[in-house]
Amino acid sequence: MKSIVEVQQLIKKFPVGNGFFTALNEVNLSFAEGEFAGLVGPSGSGKTTLLNIIGSLDVPSEGEVLVMGHPVGKLTAAQAALLRKQQLGFIFQSYNLLPVYTVYENVEFPLLLLDLPASERKQRVLETLEWVGLTDKVKSRPAALSGGECQRVAIARAMVKRPALVLADEPTANLDSENSHRILQTMLKLNEELKTSFVFATHDEKVISYLRRIIRLQDGKVVADELVNL
Amino acid sequence: MIRFLFKGLLRDKSRSLLPVIVVAVGVMMTVFLHAYLEGILNDSIEESARLSSGHVKITTLGYHENSSQRPNEYAVTAVDRLLEALKHDFPDLQWSERILFGGLLDAPDGEGYTRSQGNVAGAGIRLIGSDEEIERMDLRARLFAGRFPEHRGEVLISNELFKKMKLRLGDEVTLISSSMYGDMAMYNFTVCGTLHFGIAALDKGMVYADIEDVRNALYMDDAAGEILGFFPGNYDEKRALQLQEAFAPDGSGDEFSLVLTPMSKASGMDFLILYSRYAGFIIIFIFVFAMSIVLWNAGLLGGLRRYGEFGLRLAIGESKREAYGSLVGEAVLIGLVGSVAGTAIGLVFAYLMQEFGLNAGDMIKDSTLMLPTVFRAQITPMTYVIGFIPGVLSTVIGAMLAGIGIYKRQTAQLFKELT
Ligand SMILES: Nc1ncnc2c1ncn2[C@@H]1O[C@H](COP(=O)(O)OP(=O)(O)OP(=O)(O)O)[C@@H](O)[C@H]1O
Ligand SMILES: [Mg+2]
């Protein structure tokens, strides 16, 4: 299988006081196309930090991360933006929907950045909202939605441009158990049907139970990396 | 994309309506204040011109150099011929001859002994046979009691002096002064009316007599201390300087050679004219400064509130430049809309103030400045544009400062500030 992310000798240090705090310490990882993998570990183990660097929202201190062959540490801000725009989708713990826009408009936004023609945008937005089961809420504002529905909008927004890789940081943290399972089933379905790779950062057992690959982090190091046999 | 952003702007009232109102209020105040100050300064300038300096003033060089002493020994002579020449050469200007003098006013009792005395500053102006000066100096409104001189030898006295000397209308008073040749001069007047200016310097001890009487009193036949020139409209510095150039071609420097002084160079006037010239700049400066702080704060709060939104937009793939550009673009739009609205409202108020004025006669009863008693605004071409400078500039500067945070922070950091 083709590799889409290569993490090589990654070190991430944050300045604290007069010194540095090492959040990630010599991490080596590789993600292939179509994976449904999770970074799992206790709080402070470096999950979010790693996810942010893979998502080109942050840069390595040492080592390198290749995303679709692009070295994240060497990209200019504009190149990183382009990479995110074309290849990456993000899902956050706090759904981060734009409150003044409708469900439809929130999902359409990434396509506006891609300069797609209106007809294609419409078709894709409606199709994506169908995947997540929100066709009856297109005109609603986020304030009128439940937490589970908000997170489904966020999934649709991440998926609408058919990214190669979706990065999801604690996507179920604000959801009850039933909604968590629905969200995960939706994502698993999209992973299987569209071959989109998913990488999670989580310590939620519900999420972990869906993962096909579990990467355990502790104090910024990978301590285990195992495939789950179904 | 633009439409998408515009939609968001319109829907989020705290980002559109609120800042537009803030900008509009600030711009409105700027516009109104500009017109108001422009009006007051202009009125003060015109009032001073009418009462004392003229738009331009012709005197001899000697008189000009000692003008505070009203040195009538340096008076302009052959005034009739000079006035004729002036009317011929500058037909659109109005010319008015005046004599200023100092002296002592003496009120005798029935037997001819002094009953009371007062120091006076006097002016001989054309009062009999012509209304021109009465209207120019707005004396009708300032006549407190009695009437204007109708016969030779009648005089107007400022009301304060009139009371201090315990005079009654119709009383005889004697002016003791010095003649054009430096001798003592005495002349008898009959008090026919009193004046109240509301200007301390004039109310303390002013005497207005017809210029022909003063000529008789001070032996100044066909002479005048100064000849004031008035433009058809307001003071025009450029024209005044041109006249000054044209008037003294030889610049021989003889004490009796005539000089023409623009009012901007008359003592006491220079600051007023300078001030009026820079009033616009001063207001702009103050308002740009004050409004920048207000709008910067508003922009900063708005920007901080939106760091999450911008973090998200950057995560989705908008570049920092696009995000920053949209923030500044929004500010330009809000600044323009607010400025247009604020200018329109400000102009309405300024117009009302220009047409109807604010009677402040009582508030400035004893001013030392020659301020007019009715405050009026004046709308100039500058009034239309002045509001846009603080309106657009401060809004944009505020947004730019707030937006720097977007640039300086790592994108990942923008999220942390949201949660
Ligand atoms: N900007 C920063 N400056 C300094 N230290 C940071 C910064 N970001 C993260 N850290 C530190 O790096 C470590 C890893 O943080 P990270 O957010 O990746 O943890 P995590 O595994 O996602 O934890 P959680 O499960 O609580 O989300 C933590 O100890 C954190 O305090
Ligand atoms: Mg985390």
Side-chain angles (χ1 to χ4, degrees):
Chain A
M1 271 242 209
K2 212 173 96 191
S3 151
I4 54 170
V5 177
E6 289 288 339
V7 180
Q8 301 162 346
Q9 287 294 321
L10 172 64
I11 297 175
K12 180 65 182 180
K13 293 171 177 172
F14 290 111
V16 277
N18 323 327
F20 287 97
F21 175 80
T22 308
L24 293 172
N25 200 355
E26 298 188 18
V27 173
N28 289 287
L29 279 174
S30 165
F31 293 98
E33 212 170 50
E35 284 211 54
F36 204 74
L39 307 169
V40 177
S43 183
S45 56
K47 307 181 293 290
T48 299
T49 306
L50 180 52
L51 213 59
N52 281 343
I53 296 176
I54 294 173
S56 78
L57 296 175
D58 211 340
V59 290
S61 305
E62 284 171 45
E64 190 51 278
V65 175
L66 299 171
V67 179
M68 323 286 155
H70 302 286
V72 163
K74 297 189 183 71
L75 298 180
T76 63
Q79 286 169 327
L82 194 68
L83 174 67
R84 290 197 295 271
K85 181 159 82 176
Q86 293 174 337
Q87 310 281 11
L88 304 180
F90 290 87
I91 298 168
F92 305 94
Q93 172 182 335
S94 53
Y95 333 113
N96 277 339
L97 301 179
L98 300 174
V100 295
Y101 296 104
T102 62
V103 166
Y104 183 95
E105 287 160 347
N106 265 284
V107 177
E108 187 189 21
F109 182 53
L111 301 183
L112 287 167
L113 287 178
L114 285 169
D115 271 333
L116 291 186
S119 58
E120 195 181 341
R121 288 203 306 265
K122 184 167 181 188
Q123 185 231 317
R124 280 222 217 169
V125 171
L126 293 176
E127 184 187 32
T128 313
L129 283 172
E130 208 165 304
W131 293 341
V132 298
L134 278 174
T135 37
D136 53 336
K137 301 278 185 187
V138 282
K139 293 216 168 71
S140 304
R141 297 274 182 90
L145 300 180
S146 73
E149 286 168 334
C150 282
Q151 199 57 303
R152 270 144 67 198
V153 177
I155 295 171
R157 184 180 58 196
M159 290 302 299
V160 72
K161 59 186 169 189
R162 314 273 174 80
L165 174 63
V166 171
L167 301 167
D169 194 350
E170 317 270 13
T172 57
N174 290 333
L175 299 180
D176 59 27
S177 154
E178 194 194 323
N179 270 308
S180 299
H181 284 295
R182 286 186 60 185
I183 295 292
L184 285 158
Q185 277 154 11
T186 306
M187 290 196 273
L188 196 57
K189 192 182 77 182
L190 293 169
N191 167 255
E192 281 164 359
E193 287 175 9
L194 302 171
K195 296 281 163 272
T196 309
S197 307
F198 280 80
V199 176
F200 293 85
T202 189
H203 43 39
D204 180 354
E205 286 302 327
K206 293 190 289 298
V207 178
I208 296 169
S209 70
Y210 283 82
L211 297 175
R212 300 292 155 83
R213 179 184 173 193
I214 297 170
I215 298 153
R216 293 195 187 275
L217 287 181
Q218 188 126 36
D219 298 330
K221 280 183 179 291
V222 176
V223 291
D225 184 351
E226 53 216 28
L227 292 176
V228 178
N229 292 317
L230 292 175
Chain B
M1 188 70 197
I2 301 266
R3 248 189 61 204
F4 181 82
L5 293 172
F6 195 69
K7 234 188 303 188
L9 185 61
L10 284 184
R11 286 184 199 165
D12 189 350
K13 300 269 184 292
S14 69
R15 256 163 70 201
S16 49
L17 191 63
L18 218 66
V20 162
I21 289 173
V22 172
V23 172
V25 168
V27 167
M28 185 195 82
M29 295 197 306
T30 308
V31 167
F32 181 74
L33 201 68
H34 181 261
Y36 179 72
L37 219 77
E38 194 75 13
I40 286 186
L41 286 167
N42 231 315
D43 279 354
S44 308
I45 289 169
E46 292 306 315
E47 180 82 342
S48 298
R50 288 189 296 264
L51 288 179
S52 73
S53 69
H55 288 144
V56 296
K57 180 188 281 191
I58 296 170
T59 59
T60 63
L61 186 59
Y63 190 95
H64 176 69
E65 282 171 351
N66 303 289
S67 60
S68 61
Q69 295 158 35
R70 290 149 184 177
N72 281 323
E73 60 266 35
Y74 292 119
V76 179
T77 51
V79 169
D80 284 347
R81 231 178 45 223
L82 178 61
L83 281 176
E84 235 159 77
L86 288 171
K87 276 172 195 152
H88 177 265
D89 292 347
F90 311 104
D92 60 323
L93 269 74
Q94 289 189 333
W95 300 96
S96 127
E97 36 182 345
R98 291 185 190 177
I99 297 173
L100 303 182
F101 55 90
L104 206 64
L105 203 64
D106 186 289
D109 61 14
E111 276 108 57
Y113 294 110
T114 295
R115 181 163 52 111
S116 59
Q117 265 186 352
N119 282 313
V120 292
I125 58 179
R126 177 87 47 215
L127 287 173
I128 299 176
S130 162
D131 270 0
E132 210 180 289
E133 293 275 63
I134 291 175
E135 257 148 39
R136 177 174 294 132
M137 298 173 75
D138 197 20
L139 293 182
R140 247 183 263 298
R142 287 158 166 160
L143 188 66
F144 190 80
R147 55 163 175 81
F148 290 115
E150 285 164 6
H151 314 285
R152 292 260 156 272
E154 291 185 329
V155 72
L156 295 166
I157 296 186
S158 61
N159 195 53
E160 217 172 293
L161 181 69
F162 182 78
K163 279 192 297 195
K164 208 178 82 190
M165 290 180 65
K166 299 189 174 65
L167 294 169
R168 281 158 308 177
L169 292 177
D171 275 359
E172 288 262 311
V173 288
T174 305
L175 172 73
I176 303 159
S177 183
S178 65
S179 81
M180 186 171 157
Y181 306 103
D183 317 320
M184 184 157 105
M186 301 226 287
Y187 198 81
N188 288 335
F189 287 104
T190 310
V191 180
C192 66
T194 69
L195 295 170
H196 179 76
F197 284 90
I199 299 167
L202 298 183
D203 283 332
K204 229 175 106 189
M206 199 67 203
V207 170
Y208 282 95
D210 184 77
I211 189 163
E212 295 304 337
D213 277 324
V214 176
R215 279 182 175 144
N216 283 342
L218 307 180
Y219 305 100
M220 290 179 69
D221 193 32
D222 199 19
E226 39 195 56
I227 293 167
L228 309 186
F230 295 93
F231 297 136
N234 282 347
Y235 179 61
D236 175 355
E237 171 87 346
K238 226 170 94 191
R239 177 101 199 269
L241 291 174
Q242 276 168 5
L243 284 180
Q244 186 187 24
E245 266 302 300
F247 203 80
D250 56 343
S252 60
D254 177 309
E255 285 175 329
F256 288 96
S257 62
L258 298 181
V259 290
L260 181 145
T261 313
M263 80 178 290
S264 62
K265 294 189 178 163
S267 63
M269 287 287 80
D270 33 5
F271 94 96
L272 198 59
I273 286 168
L274 196 75
Y275 194 72
S276 82
R277 200 174 299 155
Y278 294 112
F281 290 104
I282 294 166
I283 294 172
I284 290 174
F285 184 79
I286 293 171
F287 266 81
V288 166
F289 192 74
M291 277 185 63
S292 290
I293 290 174
V294 170
L295 292 171
W296 172 24
N297 263 298
L300 210 58
L301 288 175
L304 286 174
R305 207 170 55 89
R306 295 175 68 195
Y307 276 0
E309 177 199 331
F310 278 104
L312 178 83
R313 281 164 59 174
L314 296 176
I316 289 176
E318 206 171 0
S319 71
K320 286 191 174 186
R321 241 190 55 208
E322 287 170 311
Y324 193 72
S326 79
L327 192 70
V328 173
E330 242 175 55
V332 170
L333 201 69
I334 283 166
L336 279 176
V337 172
S339 297
V340 169
T343 301
I345 302 168
L347 280 172
V348 169
F349 282 121
Y351 176 79
L352 292 176
M353 186 82 168
Q354 177 173 284
E355 292 307 304
F356 301 108
L358 178 73
N359 197 327
D362 295 335
M363 291 188 326
I364 49 161
K365 208 176 266 162
D366 294 307
S367 154
T368 47
L369 276 172
M370 292 193 183
L371 277 174
T373 48
V374 178
F375 288 170
R376 282 181 192 285
Q378 188 178 6
I379 296 171
T380 67
M382 192 67 179
T383 319
Y384 288 85
V385 294
I386 197 166
F388 283 79
I389 299 171
V392 177
L393 213 65
S394 332
T395 319
V396 172
I397 290 173
M400 284 170 113
L401 290 172
I404 288 174
I406 293 173
Y407 255 107
K408 287 216 329 229
R409 280 175 178 71
Q410 269 296 335
T411 306
Q413 200 62 27
L414 289 169
F415 283 108
K416 294 230 172 90
E417 284 173 44
L418 176 84
T419 46

